[in-house]
Amino acid sequence: MKISFLIHTIYGIGGTIRTTLNLAEELAGGHEIEIVSVFRHRDVPLFDIDPRITVVPLVDTRPNSPAREKDHPDHRTPAALFPRSEARYGEYSALTDRRVREHYAASDADVVIGTRPGLVAYTARFAPPGAVTIGQEHMSHNHHSEALREEMRPHLAALDAFVTVSEGDAAVWRARMPLPDTRVLAVPNSVPAPAVAPSDLSRPVVVAAGRLSREKQYEVLIRAFAKVVAVHPEWTLRICGAGAEKERLRRRVQKHLLSNHVLLMGPRSPIDPEWVKGSVAVSTSRHESFGMTLVEAMRNGLPVISTDCDYGPREIVRDGEDGILVPVGKADAVAGALLALIEDEGLRRKMGAAAARNSRRFDPAPVARRYADLFAELGAGSPARRARTATAPAVALASAAAAPPALAPAAPPAAPRPAPGRAFEPVADCVAEDDGSLTVTVVAPASAVLTHPGLRLVCVRTGGPDPAETRIYPFGPDGAATVPADDDFAEGQWLCAADHPGGARRTALLTRSVDQRGALGAERRLTPGAGVRHRVPYRRGPRHQLALRSWVRPVHAEAGDIRRSGSRLTLEGRVLGPAAPADGAELTLRRRGGPEEEIAFPAVRDGARGFRAVIHGEAPAARQLTAHDVWEVWLRCAPDRDPVRVARLLDDVVDKSDVFVYPDALTHKRRPLLLARRVLRRLLGREQRLVKVSLGYDGDNGLVLRLTDRPPG
């Protein structure tokens, strides 16, 4: 049987894409599967796609696409066959109308599944005669406007089945929009078993994940976490995801003085290695048709806290058993639930175990069986359905939009992605162990080590003085190679490859997952007085090649909390290695990319190895040369010691430049002037030039101070 999924784009990241891939991969075990992606906006999908699945992009909108279809004249003509009330109507066009119609006119699919309202309409119109047509509801009845629901009514009535992801939403659809000839039922989304070990629930980390949008109500979570930090300042909140609300959420974090406690991690794929770094998962959504992130967290052994919103969470979370449900929009209730799990380790572990156990009902196998049963009940692939013929689209609407407009000739749809070749290209999982070693295990092809005896893991340094510098480790019979904790890796980037026997051939080592949990305990492993050696494995590039980032510092100043008070920025940190802050210690700013210049501020010793220094924003602002000055931050432990660069290294975040964002200080740019000239400038309004002073990290995780001109007001 051939099953075709019609999706907005398979090249992005989001819940609909994830659940479509989960279901498609499970069905690919016994069926021919294609995913028709209306748009292709990047070269490579962000999610890994099973090679058994054929991807068919229809409209290529990549900025550097040879087809340049974003500028196609028909793509500038509004769609006539896509619902006008649909949220993405503005992205669709006469070109998408035609490409979808032409694809399915030549299709032999037995089942066509539309994954959003507008694509459900396309499915009803364009599916091949005889194909079973199914619409999926990944939002909910109440989420859609009345205008869209009315516009969708004839399309839904023409389907064989309409599938929601919760029983509650299915009941609402049946009650408010009776569809006599369409089966309306609920089938939950599926979440596969994680490729990483479950969380041990020992780290003081709360994790949230999802699109950064207003409906997720992260501002409620941030307010709640401020109450948690007031009692337990050692805990941090990590929010994984991308979206339009990112900058607004950053401002919220800064407003609540939580820059040292709330991290916006950006999109993470796969997400499982992020869940297992935490001990509690939380969702504060206003609406949630299902709750994919809740199931993902539970499958990784985390107890969950969720708002009791319509409709999915209450069908996923068993309140008091594997998680806690709280009222929508109530920061105090969220904070109370967080504190309950933070302060009661026994409860946290009991709920985490129940979460892992109960979430198995969302495994892809039983969910796919429910879809397969539905296909069979609707006669998909049967001789009777194959024999059906028609001379019109699957639904003929008595409206002007039913007749497609005449379109200018267009290029044919992009060809399906070719099946992967037979070249040997191993895929591995990598685990950063608690002792600092790395375990790299080949997981695909399953017979890699048996069919390639003598296979070796090779780590090659890139960009160093010796480009041939390598470290080599054999894969054992179990497919695993170990990189010992005490092996010497020079500071910099290292790429990993698989070396064939005799070194005759070397191929990139791709990754399925990278478990970085062990990197979070880096400081606990350090030998007193021995400096810093730290490695973090990660996925690099669009093909997700395994890579390592190594830092080696004989003496290191690790940046800690950063706080703002007026135009002053206070930095706390600690020195690691054969040195410690002493009397006369100084924090030094060094200008980058301009005339050599330094500005020194006294650093106060704080405990055995800690230091604290206050940066007065007026000092670098008075020496500003460009609209975007950058100063590196160094620490001189004593007057007779060489300064060391202040950086933040000892965790799992490879690039901190966009994750740790601290409050900006504002000051005025004042230059030394004669009194009369200063008075004149003040009268003319030229004296009060504002300068934004901010601390952050560069691409090497070194701490830098940035000055940016900001007009008054």
Side-chain angles (χ1 to χ4, degrees), residues 434-501:
D434 288 340
D435 65 358
S437 65
L438 305 177
T439 301
V440 181
T441 306
V442 176
V443 294
S447 60
V449 176
L450 296 178
T451 56
H452 296 80
L455 193 68
R456 303 181 301 174
L457 167 67
V458 181
C459 305
V460 182
R461 189 182 182 194
T462 64
D466 181 2
E469 187 176 0
T470 60
R471 303 289 182 270
I472 299 176
Y473 308 92
F475 285 105
D478 60 351
T482 299
V483 180
D486 56 357
D487 271 17
D488 179 34
F489 278 71
E491 179 157 328
Q493 303 280 351
W494 295 73
L495 282 178
C496 298
D499 210 19
H500 295 251

Coordinates of all heavy atoms in Angstrom, one line a residue, residues 434-501:
D434 N 30.2 10.2 32.8 CA 30.4 11.0 34.0 C 31.9 11.2 34.4 O 32.3 12.1 35.0 CB 29.7 10.4 35.2 CG 28.2 10.6 35.1 OD1 27.8 11.6 34.3 OD2 27.4 9.9 35.8
D435 N 32.8 10.2 34.0 CA 34.2 10.3 34.3 C 35.0 11.1 33.3 O 36.2 11.2 33.4 CB 34.8 8.9 34.4 CG 34.7 8.1 33.1 OD1 34.2 8.6 32.1 OD2 35.2 6.9 33.1
G436 N 34.3 11.6 32.3 CA 35.0 12.4 31.3 C 35.3 11.7 30.0 O 35.8 12.3 29.0
S437 N 35.2 10.4 30.0 CA 35.4 9.6 28.8 C 34.3 9.7 27.8 O 33.2 10.2 28.2 CB 35.7 8.2 29.1 OG 34.6 7.6 29.7
L438 N 34.5 9.3 26.6 CA 33.4 9.3 25.6 C 33.2 7.9 25.1 O 34.2 7.2 24.8 CB 33.7 10.2 24.4 CG 34.1 11.7 24.7 CD1 34.5 12.4 23.4 CD2 32.9 12.4 25.3
T439 N 32.0 7.5 24.9 CA 31.6 6.2 24.3 C 30.9 6.4 23.0 O 29.9 7.1 23.0 CB 30.8 5.3 25.3 OG1 31.4 5.1 26.5 CG2 30.5 4.0 24.6
V440 N 31.5 5.9 21.9 CA 30.9 6.1 20.6 C 30.5 4.7 20.1 O 31.4 3.8 20.0 CB 31.9 6.8 19.6 CG1 31.3 6.9 18.3 CG2 32.4 8.1 20.2
T441 N 29.3 4.5 19.8 CA 28.7 3.2 19.4 C 28.1 3.3 18.0 O 27.2 4.1 17.8 CB 27.7 2.7 20.4 OG1 28.3 2.7 21.7 CG2 27.3 1.3 20.1
V442 N 28.5 2.5 17.1 CA 27.9 2.4 15.7 C 26.6 1.8 15.9 O 26.4 0.7 16.4 CB 28.8 1.7 14.8 CG1 28.1 1.6 13.4 CG2 30.1 2.4 14.6
V443 N 25.5 2.5 15.4 CA 24.1 1.9 15.5 C 23.6 1.6 14.1 O 22.5 0.9 14.0 CB 23.2 2.9 16.2 CG1 23.6 3.0 17.7 CG2 23.2 4.3 15.6
A444 N 24.2 2.1 13.0 CA 23.7 1.8 11.7 C 24.9 2.0 10.7 O 25.7 2.9 10.8 CB 22.6 2.8 11.3
P445 N 25.0 1.0 9.8 CA 24.2 -0.2 9.7 C 24.6 -1.1 10.8 O 25.7 -1.1 11.4 CB 24.7 -0.8 8.3 CG 26.0 -0.2 8.1 CD 26.0 1.1 8.7
A446 N 23.6 -2.0 11.2 CA 23.8 -2.8 12.4 C 25.0 -3.7 12.3 O 25.6 -4.1 13.3 CB 22.5 -3.6 12.7
S447 N 25.3 -4.1 11.1 CA 26.4 -5.1 10.9 C 27.7 -4.4 10.6 O 28.6 -5.1 10.1 CB 26.0 -6.0 9.7 OG 25.8 -5.2 8.5
A448 N 27.8 -3.1 10.8 CA 29.0 -2.3 10.4 C 30.3 -3.0 10.9 O 31.3 -3.2 10.1 CB 28.9 -0.9 10.9
V449 N 30.4 -3.3 12.2 CA 31.6 -3.8 12.7 C 31.9 -5.2 12.3 O 33.1 -5.6 12.0 CB 31.5 -3.7 14.3 CG1 32.8 -4.3 14.9 CG2 31.4 -2.3 14.7
L450 N 30.8 -6.0 12.0 CA 31.1 -7.4 11.5 C 31.5 -7.4 10.1 O 32.4 -8.2 9.7 CB 29.8 -8.2 11.7 CG 29.3 -8.4 13.1 CD1 28.0 -9.2 13.2 CD2 30.3 -9.2 13.9
T451 N 30.9 -6.5 9.3 CA 31.3 -6.5 7.8 C 32.5 -5.7 7.6 O 33.0 -5.7 6.5 CB 30.1 -5.9 7.0 OG1 29.7 -4.6 7.5 CG2 28.9 -6.9 7.1
H452 N 33.0 -4.9 8.5 CA 34.2 -4.1 8.4 C 35.1 -4.3 9.6 O 35.3 -3.4 10.4 CB 33.8 -2.6 8.2 CG 33.0 -2.3 7.0 ND1 31.7 -2.5 6.9 CD2 33.4 -1.8 5.8 CE1 31.3 -2.1 5.7 NE2 32.3 -1.7 5.0
P453 N 35.6 -5.5 9.7 CA 36.5 -5.8 10.9 C 37.7 -4.9 10.8 O 38.2 -4.6 9.8 CB 36.9 -7.3 10.7 CG 36.6 -7.5 9.2 CD 35.5 -6.7 8.8
G454 N 38.1 -4.4 12.0 CA 39.2 -3.5 12.1 C 38.8 -2.0 12.0 O 39.6 -1.1 11.9
L455 N 37.5 -1.8 11.9 CA 37.0 -0.4 11.8 C 37.4 0.4 13.0 O 37.5 0.0 14.2 CB 35.4 -0.4 11.8 CG 34.8 0.9 11.3 CD1 35.1 1.2 9.9 CD2 33.3 0.8 11.6
R456 N 37.9 1.7 12.8 CA 38.4 2.5 13.8 C 37.7 3.9 13.8 O 37.3 4.4 12.8 CB 39.9 2.7 13.6 CG 40.7 1.4 13.5 CD 42.2 1.7 13.4 NE 42.5 2.4 12.1 CZ 43.7 2.9 11.8 NH1 44.7 2.6 12.6 NH2 43.9 3.5 10.7
L457 N 37.6 4.4 15.0 CA 37.2 5.8 15.2 C 38.4 6.7 15.1 O 39.4 6.5 15.8 CB 36.5 6.0 16.6 CG 36.3 7.4 17.1 CD1 35.3 8.1 16.2 CD2 35.9 7.4 18.5
V458 N 38.3 7.7 14.3 CA 39.4 8.7 14.0 C 38.9 10.1 14.4 O 37.9 10.5 13.8 CB 39.9 8.6 12.6 CG1 41.1 9.6 12.4 CG2 40.4 7.2 12.3
C459 N 39.6 10.8 15.2 CA 39.3 12.2 15.6 C 40.4 13.0 15.0 O 41.6 12.8 15.2 CB 39.3 12.4 17.1 SG 38.1 11.3 17.9
V460 N 40.1 13.9 14.1 CA 41.0 14.8 13.4 C 40.9 16.2 13.8 O 39.7 16.8 13.7 CB 40.8 14.6 11.8 CG1 41.8 15.4 11.1 CG2 40.8 13.1 11.4
R461 N 41.9 16.8 14.2 CA 41.9 18.2 14.5 C 41.8 19.1 13.3 O 42.5 18.9 12.3 CB 43.1 18.6 15.3 CG 43.1 20.0 15.9 CD 44.3 20.4 16.7 NE 44.2 21.7 17.3 CZ 45.3 22.3 17.8 NH1 46.5 21.8 17.7 NH2 45.1 23.5 18.3
T462 N 40.9 20.1 13.4 CA 40.7 21.0 12.2 C 41.2 22.4 12.6 O 41.0 22.9 13.7 CB 39.2 21.1 11.8 OG1 38.5 21.7 12.9 CG2 38.7 19.7 11.5
G463 N 41.9 23.1 11.7 CA 42.3 24.4 11.9 C 43.5 24.6 12.8 O 43.9 25.7 13.1
G464 N 44.1 23.5 13.2 CA 45.3 23.6 14.1 C 46.6 23.8 13.3 O 46.6 23.7 12.1
P465 N 47.7 23.9 14.0 CA 49.0 24.1 13.3 C 49.3 22.8 12.5 O 50.1 22.8 11.5 CB 50.0 24.4 14.4 CG 49.3 23.9 15.6 CD 47.8 24.1 15.4
D466 N 48.9 21.6 13.0 CA 49.2 20.4 12.4 C 47.8 19.8 11.9 O 47.1 19.1 12.7 CB 49.9 19.4 13.3 CG 50.2 18.1 12.7 OD1 49.9 17.9 11.5 OD2 50.7 17.2 13.3
P467 N 47.4 20.0 10.6 CA 46.1 19.5 10.2 C 46.0 18.0 10.2 O 44.9 17.5 10.0 CB 46.0 20.1 8.7 CG 47.4 20.3 8.3 CD 48.2 20.7 9.6
A468 N 47.1 17.3 10.3 CA 47.1 15.8 10.2 C 47.0 15.2 11.7 O 47.1 14.0 11.8 CB 48.3 15.3 9.5
E469 N 46.9 16.1 12.7 CA 46.9 15.6 14.1 C 45.6 14.7 14.3 O 44.5 15.2 14.1 CB 46.9 16.8 15.0 CG 47.1 16.3 16.5 CD 47.2 17.5 17.4 OE1 47.1 18.7 16.9 OE2 47.3 17.3 18.6
T470 N 45.8 13.5 14.7 CA 44.7 12.6 14.8 C 44.8 11.8 16.2 O 45.9 11.7 16.8 CB 44.6 11.6 13.7 OG1 45.8 10.8 13.7 CG2 44.4 12.3 12.3
R471 N 43.6 11.3 16.6 CA 43.5 10.3 17.7 C 42.7 9.1 17.1 O 41.7 9.4 16.5 CB 42.9 10.9 18.9 CG 43.5 12.2 19.4 CD 44.9 11.9 20.1 NE 45.5 13.1 20.6 CZ 46.3 13.9 19.9 NH1 46.6 13.6 18.7 NH2 46.8 15.0 20.5
I472 N 43.2 7.9 17.4 CA 42.6 6.7 16.7 C 42.2 5.7 17.8 O 43.0 5.4 18.7 CB 43.5 6.1 15.7 CG1 43.8 7.1 14.6 CG2 42.9 4.8 15.1 CD1 44.8 6.6 13.6
Y473 N 40.9 5.2 17.7 CA 40.4 4.2 18.7 C 39.7 3.1 18.0 O 38.9 3.4 17.1 CB 39.5 4.9 19.7 CG 40.1 6.2 20.3 CD1 39.9 7.4 19.7 CD2 40.9 6.1 21.5 CE1 40.5 8.6 20.3 CE2 41.5 7.2 22.0 CZ 41.3 8.5 21.4 OH 41.8 9.6 21.9
P474 N 40.0 1.9 18.3 CA 39.3 0.7 17.6 C 37.8 0.6 18.1 O 37.5 0.8 19.3 CB 40.1 -0.5 18.0 CG 40.7 -0.1 19.4 CD 40.9 1.4 19.3
F475 N 37.0 0.2 17.2 CA 35.6 -0.3 17.6 C 35.7 -1.7 18.0 O 36.3 -2.5 17.3 CB 34.7 -0.1 16.4 CG 34.2 1.3 16.2 CD1 34.8 2.0 15.1 CD2 33.3 2.0 17.0 CE1 34.4 3.3 14.8 CE2 32.9 3.3 16.7 CZ 33.5 4.0 15.7
G476 N 35.1 -2.0 19.1 CA 35.1 -3.4 19.6 C 34.0 -4.2 18.9 O 33.2 -3.7 18.1
P477 N 33.9 -5.5 19.2 CA 32.9 -6.4 18.6 C 31.5 -5.9 18.9 O 30.6 -6.2 18.1 CB 33.1 -7.7 19.3 CG 34.6 -7.7 19.8 CD 34.8 -6.3 20.1
D478 N 31.3 -5.2 20.0 CA 29.9 -4.6 20.3 C 29.7 -3.3 19.5 O 28.6 -2.7 19.7 CB 29.8 -4.4 21.8 CG 30.8 -3.4 22.3 OD1 31.8 -3.0 21.6 OD2 30.7 -3.1 23.5
G479 N 30.6 -2.9 18.7 CA 30.4 -1.6 17.9 C 30.8 -0.4 18.7 O 30.5 0.7 18.2
A480 N 31.4 -0.5 19.9 CA 31.7 0.7 20.7 C 33.1 0.9 20.7 O 34.0 0.0 20.7 CB 31.1 0.4 22.1
A481 N 33.5 2.2 20.7 CA 34.9 2.7 20.9 C 34.9 3.7 22.1 O 33.9 4.4 22.3 CB 35.4 3.4 19.6
T482 N 35.9 3.6 22.9 CA 36.1 4.5 24.0 C 37.2 5.5 23.9 O 38.3 5.1 23.5 CB 36.3 3.7 25.3 OG1 35.2 2.8 25.5 CG2 36.5 4.5 26.5
V483 N 36.9 6.7 24.1 CA 37.9 7.8 24.1 C 38.2 8.1 25.6 O 37.3 8.7 26.3 CB 37.4 9.1 23.4 CG1 38.5 10.2 23.4 CG2 37.0 8.8 22.0
P484 N 39.3 7.7 26.1 CA 39.6 7.8 27.5 C 39.6 9.3 28.0 O 39.9 10.2 27.2 CB 41.0 7.2 27.7 CG 41.2 6.3 26.5 CD 40.4 7.0 25.4
A485 N 39.2 9.5 29.2 CA 39.1 10.8 29.8 C 40.4 11.6 29.8 O 40.5 12.8 29.6 CB 38.5 10.8 31.2
D486 N 41.5 10.8 30.0 CA 42.8 11.5 30.1 C 43.6 11.6 28.9 O 44.8 12.0 28.9 CB 43.7 10.8 31.2 CG 43.9 9.3 30.9 OD1 43.3 8.8 29.9 OD2 44.6 8.6 31.7
D487 N 43.0 11.2 27.7 CA 43.7 11.4 26.4 C 43.9 12.9 26.1 O 43.0 13.7 26.3 CB 43.0 10.7 25.3 CG 43.5 9.2 25.2 OD1 44.1 8.7 26.2 OD2 43.2 8.6 24.2
D488 N 45.0 13.2 25.5 CA 45.3 14.6 25.2 C 44.7 15.1 23.9 O 45.0 14.5 22.9 CB 46.9 14.7 25.2 CG 47.3 16.2 24.9 OD1 46.6 17.1 25.4 OD2 48.3 16.4 24.2
F489 N 43.8 16.0 24.0 CA 43.3 16.7 22.8 C 43.6 18.1 22.9 O 43.2 18.8 23.8 CB 41.7 16.5 22.8 CG 41.3 15.2 22.3 CD1 41.4 14.0 23.0 CD2 40.7 15.1 21.0 CE1 41.0 12.8 22.5 CE2 40.2 13.9 20.5 CZ 40.4 12.7 21.3
A490 N 44.3 18.6 21.9 CA 44.7 20.1 21.9 C 43.4 20.9 21.8 O 42.4 20.4 21.3 CB 45.6 20.3 20.7
E491 N 43.5 22.1 22.3 CA 42.3 23.0 22.2 C 41.9 23.3 20.8 O 42.8 23.5 19.9 CB 42.6 24.3 23.0 CG 41.4 25.2 22.9 CD 41.5 26.3 24.0 OE1 41.9 26.0 25.2 OE2 40.9 27.4 23.8
G492 N 40.6 23.2 20.6 CA 40.1 23.4 19.2 C 39.0 22.5 18.8 O 38.4 21.8 19.6
Q493 N 38.7 22.4 17.5 CA 37.7 21.6 17.0 C 38.3 20.3 16.5 O 39.3 20.3 15.8 CB 37.0 22.3 15.8 CG 36.4 23.7 16.1 CD 35.0 23.5 16.8 OE1 34.5 22.4 16.9 NE2 34.5 24.7 17.3
W494 N 37.6 19.2 16.7 CA 38.0 17.9 16.2 C 36.8 17.2 15.5 O 35.7 17.2 16.1 CB 38.4 17.0 17.3 CG 39.7 17.4 18.0 CD1 39.8 18.5 18.9 CD2 41.0 16.9 18.0 NE1 41.1 18.6 19.3 CE2 41.8 17.6 18.8 CE3 41.5 15.8 17.3 CZ2 43.2 17.3 18.9 CZ3 42.9 15.5 17.4 CH2 43.7 16.2 18.2
L495 N 37.0 16.7 14.3 CA 35.9 16.0 13.6 C 36.2 14.5 13.6 O 37.3 14.1 13.6 CB 35.9 16.5 12.1 CG 35.2 17.8 11.8 CD1 35.3 18.1 10.3 CD2 33.7 17.8 12.3
C496 N 35.1 13.8 13.7 CA 35.2 12.3 13.9 C 34.8 11.6 12.6 O 33.9 12.0 11.9 CB 34.3 11.8 15.0 SG 34.7 12.6 16.6
A497 N 35.6 10.6 12.3 CA 35.4 9.8 11.1 C 35.5 8.3 11.4 O 36.0 7.9 12.5 CB 36.4 10.2 10.0
A498 N 35.1 7.5 10.4 CA 35.3 6.0 10.6 C 36.4 5.6 9.6 O 36.4 5.9 8.4 CB 34.1 5.3 10.2
D499 N 37.5 5.0 10.1 CA 38.6 4.6 9.3 C 38.5 3.1 9.0 O 38.4 2.3 9.9 CB 39.9 4.9 10.1 CG 41.1 5.2 9.2 OD1 40.8 5.5 8.0 OD2 42.2 5.1 9.6
H500 N 38.6 2.8 7.7 CA 38.5 1.4 7.3 C 39.9 0.7 7.6 O 40.9 1.3 7.7 CB 38.1 1.3 5.9 CG 36.7 1.8 5.7 ND1 35.7 1.0 5.4 CD2 36.2 3.1 5.8 CE1 34.6 1.7 5.3 NE2 34.9 3.0 5.5
P501 N 39.9 -0.7 7.6 CA 41.1 -1.4 7.9 C 42.3 -1.0 6.9 O 42.0 -0.8 5.7 CB 40.7 -2.8 7.7 CG 39.3 -2.9 8.0 CD 38.7 -1.6 7.5

